[in-house]
């Protein structure tokens, strides 16, 4: 299923986020290779600085779509308090930058990122979230 706003076969750059209250992991990927790379983590505590840092990354990479991990409970996949925070962040991204935002189940990505030994676990988690979306964009949920 092609992404809305991207013609089939056209390359598209996507940016993924692993939202946290202290740090937000960021990754970038593309639809041609279906892979993503961890970029960095952005400090999340101060809203203005958070969105200024994200704006710089968006200007540098020019993504056509953003993907935010949706934290769900491990057992039944139900939403939790952190789910609402991630949805709010996704809505803020859309409102501030006017880009389409998809959300995808992020269960176990933080654990996999920790187990990988990555230097920046949050950015690695964002990479895993984005690659999951690239494998199956139909599994995404609205913010």
């Amino acid at each position: 299923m092609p992404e809305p706003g991207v013609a089939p076969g056209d390359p598209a750059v996507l940016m993924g986020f692993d939202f946290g209250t202290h740090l937000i992991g960021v990754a970038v990927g593309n639809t041609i290779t279906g892979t993503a790379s961890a970029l960095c983590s952005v400090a999340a505590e101060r809203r203005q600085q958070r969105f200024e840092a994200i704006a710089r990354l968006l200007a540098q990479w020019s993504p056509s779509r953003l993907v935010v991990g949706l934290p769900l409970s491990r057992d039944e996949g139900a939403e939790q308090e952190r789910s609402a925070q991630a949805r709010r962040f996704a809505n803020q991204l859309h409102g501030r930058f006017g880009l389409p935002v998809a959300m995808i189940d992020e269960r176990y990505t933080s654990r996999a990122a920790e187990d990988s030994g990555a230097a920046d676990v949050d950015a690695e988690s964002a990479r895993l979230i984005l690659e999951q979306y690239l494998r199956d964009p139909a599994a995404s949920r609205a913010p």
Side-chain angles (χ1 to χ4, degrees):
M1 166 186 238
E3 298 177 60
V6 177
D10 281 354
V13 173
L14 308 176
M15 189 168 282
F17 298 90
D18 178 32
F19 177 78
T21 56
H22 298 293
L23 291 171
I24 299 169
V26 185
V28 67
N30 72 68
T31 57
I32 292 179
T33 64
T35 61
S37 298
L39 284 180
C40 62
S41 290
V42 172
E45 290 95 357
R46 302 185 70 195
R47 182 177 300 187
Q48 186 64 28
Q49 286 81 3
R50 168 191 344 164
F51 286 111
E52 286 172 359
I54 291 171
R56 286 190 296 274
L57 290 168
L58 294 175
Q60 179 180 358
W61 292 96
S62 301
S64 61
R65 172 174 302 276
L66 308 177
V67 178
V68 176
L70 180 63
L72 301 172
S73 67
R74 290 184 182 177
D75 299 333
E76 65 273 350
E79 293 204 17
Q80 51 188 325
E81 181 182 342
R82 287 192 46 231
S83 305
Q85 294 170 333
R87 285 188 182 282
R88 187 169 39 256
F89 174 68
N91 285 329
Q92 290 170 338
L93 286 173
H94 176 69
R96 284 180 180 256
F97 303 111
L99 291 168
V101 180
M103 298 194 79
I104 194 146
D105 182 351
E106 71 163 25
R107 280 182 284 181
Y108 308 111
T109 57
S110 292
R111 178 59 173 231
E114 289 169 3
D115 291 348
S116 75
D120 186 337
V121 172
D122 297 295
E124 177 65 11
S125 185
R127 182 191 71 78
L128 294 169
I129 289 165
L130 188 51
E131 284 191 348
Q132 185 173 328
Y133 176 83
L134 286 164
R135 280 192 305 274
D136 188 10
S140 66
R141 302 178 185 207

